Amino acid sequence: MKNLSIRFKITLWFTIILVFTVFCTYVIVFSVNRQLILKTVRDELIRTVEDNVDEVEYYKSIGNIDLHEVDYYMLFRDGYLEIDDDFLGCVNEVYTSLYNENAVLLYGENPISRQTADTGFLDAKIQRLMVHNTLYYVFDRRLTSEGLEGLWLRGIVSENQGMREMSSITRLLLLFLPSYVTVSVIGGYFFAKRTLRPIQEILESVRKIGISGDLKKRIDLGKGKDELHQLAAGFNEMFQRLDDAFEAERRFTSDVSHELRTPVSVIKTQCEIVLEEPRSVEEYERALHTIQGQSRKMSRLISDMLDFTRLQMRAESYVCEAVDLSEIVREICFDMSLIRDKDITLDYEAEDDVRIWGNRKLLSRLLVNLINNAYRYGREGGYISVGLKQEKEYVRLSVSDNGIGIANEEQSKIFHRFYQVDHSRSGNGMGLGLAMVSEIVQFHGGEIRVESEPGKGSTFMVFLKK
Ligand code: ADP
């Protein structure tokens, strides 16, 4: 069963249901009809016999008989027995016959006279008789008019009479229902095939993408909103995300190797130079200092990259808790105000008891990076001011400086990994500080904005959910 196609399974299921329904319909229709038809047959028998009761008369003298309306007459007792020509001897296969008190047939036809010879008369009651596997209904009426006492009318009809009508209905049903089932099954099969064709297309597209590894390819089912189109759209979204992830991965690898290439080549060159020929102690020392500086840079880069990647790929490893942001801001600002690089002063104003749900280590890193940048790109004797405020639904953390500022067109790019506006002014920076800040803000479901004017300074504003 598992190996069968969905199309086949659907068709099989509906065929079974359909055949079952048709069979039930057939049984119900047949039995209801049978009851109805047999009742009609019995009613017809009673009516015919009752009608015939008035058509049998007794006359004392032949002169009283209207010979124009007579079908049959005979000497009977002291007079004449007369049967009107309206007497229905056989109509709709209902046979009526006249019997005397000794059950001797006087008039009419009885198709099973031998078998009914022993069947006693029962007034106004239907009796059933099985003859040669056929059910017969027998209905008797005692004649009570003057002179006719002791005579009986006996009506007989066989069940076959009803069954013949029945079989014409059955024949119709037998002919119609199988054709109905066949048409429905064939129609259903092709309908299922047509409806499920997109699944085949999705399957082929996914296979092709899998074989070629080209995540830029998409499943194209044309326009539509049904479940299969939604499934295809879901797949396409997934391919897009995978493509983005692979792209990010590619960029990451190329960025890292690019950033590492410079310090590695500096170290290599320094080694080559000092090993070329004997050097003075000072020259060795200079070379070793350079190598030390470059290896520190590499180690910082690797550690920054690892932190950054961890936040991007395994954000769940950072646990969140209720964090007192006021305390963090005060502690970090106090420590960093001691740096006094370029004679820059650092002021801070933090509202009390500002608490958010977050990761203490990451939030500290965010503030440190912003303040570091403010020092790095600040002016001689300038200032940095840090503020922490509670708004209605969020918390606002800002870091302002009156440093070199950032040109408008650069402001959207500075959060990209390894982006540096002016390489020569970044000093020890490697273009990862703001990318990390942006990731931390995203991790906390917040937002970051920058307002800056070249030559005047910059303000970085972080909005975090309370
Ligand atoms: P970097 O290591 O170069 O500082 P960042 O990611 O921290 O890398 O910053 C990216 C770029 O944004 C920097 O190269 C710098 O040009 C600019 N920048 C960041 N902060 C400031 C600031 N406070 N004032 C002026 N420019 C800034």
Side-chain angles (χ1 to χ4, degrees), residues 370 373-374 376-377 401 404-406 414 416 419-422 426 429-435 458 460:
L370 288 178
N373 278 353
R376 194 176 296 150
Y377 306 104
D401 64 66
I404 60 168
I406 309 156
I414 54 174
H416 294 172
Y419 188 83
Q420 293 179 313
V421 178
D422 182 353
S426 289
M430 282 164 298
L432 275 176
L434 285 183
S458 318
F460 286 84

Side-chain angles (χ1 to χ4, degrees), residues 249 252 256 260 297-315 317-318 361-362 365 417-418 430 432 436 439:
E249 200 58 44
F252 182 79
V256 174
L260 285 176
K297 194 171 179 177
M298 277 166 67
S299 123
R300 214 177 34 253
L301 175 69
I302 290 165
S303 123
D304 281 359
M305 282 310 296
L306 284 177
D307 285 350
F308 187 75
T309 316
R310 184 177 160 211
L311 190 56
Q312 269 198 328
M313 309 285 194
R314 295 198 301 117
S317 63
Y318 289 97
K361 204 174 148 208
L362 291 178
R365 180 78 179 267
R417 212 164 42 187
F418 296 116
M430 282 164 298
L432 275 176
M436 188 73 187
E439 281 298 322

Side-chain angles (χ1 to χ4, degrees), residues 46 75 112 119 147 250 260 287 322 370 375 447 459 462:
I46 294 171
L75 278 170
I112 48 166
T119 310
R250 266 196 297 274
L260 285 176
L370 288 178
Y375 270 118
E447 207 184 306
T459 300
V462 175

Side-chain angles (χ1 to χ4, degrees), residues 302-464:
I302 290 165
S303 123
D304 281 359
M305 282 310 296
L306 284 177
D307 285 350
F308 187 75
T309 316
R310 184 177 160 211
L311 190 56
Q312 269 198 328
M313 309 285 194
R314 295 198 301 117
E316 70 285 352
S317 63
Y318 289 97
V319 183
C320 286
E321 57 188 335
V323 177
D324 185 346
L325 206 54
S326 314
E327 187 196 313
I328 294 180
V329 169
R330 283 189 195 122
E331 269 176 21
I332 290 177
C333 285
F334 176 77
D335 289 350
M336 293 187 82
S337 66
L338 302 176
I339 297 175
R340 290 201 65 92
D341 185 27
K342 294 186 212 159
D343 208 20
I344 293 173
T345 48
L346 193 160
D347 300 325
Y348 53 94
E349 202 180 320
E351 266 183 28
D352 284 336
D353 220 21
V354 178
R355 289 171 190 279
I356 66 159
W357 191 256
N359 181 280
R360 165 176 273 274
K361 204 174 148 208
L362 291 178
L363 289 167
S364 307
R365 180 78 179 267
L366 178 150
L367 187 57
V368 168
N369 283 9
L370 288 178
I371 296 176
N372 261 341
N373 278 353
Y375 270 118
R376 194 176 296 150
Y377 306 104
R379 68 173 63 196
E380 214 37 69
Y383 71 83
I384 300 170
S385 80
V386 178
L388 178 68
K389 263 186 138 198
Q390 292 224 57
E391 305 283 342
K392 233 181 176 182
E393 286 167 11
Y394 52 86
V395 164
R396 197 175 101 135
L397 173 68
S398 62
V399 179
S400 305
D401 64 66
N402 61 343
I404 60 168
I406 309 156
N408 233 347
E409 64 277 13
E410 304 285 353
Q411 287 176 14
S412 58
K413 303 179 200 160
I414 54 174
F415 296 99
H416 294 172
R417 212 164 42 187
F418 296 116
Y419 188 83
Q420 293 179 313
V421 178
D422 182 353
H423 214 75
S424 61
R425 303 197 63 161
S426 289
N428 282 335
M430 282 164 298
L432 275 176
L434 285 183
M436 188 73 187
V437 166
S438 162
E439 281 298 322
I440 296 173
V441 172
Q442 264 186 46
F443 173 83
H444 287 88
E447 207 184 306
I448 181 161
R449 283 183 219 149
V450 56
E451 280 171 10
S452 182
E453 215 179 303
K456 289 198 168 166
S458 318
T459 300
F460 286 84
M461 283 165 290
V462 175
F463 300 90
L464 298 167

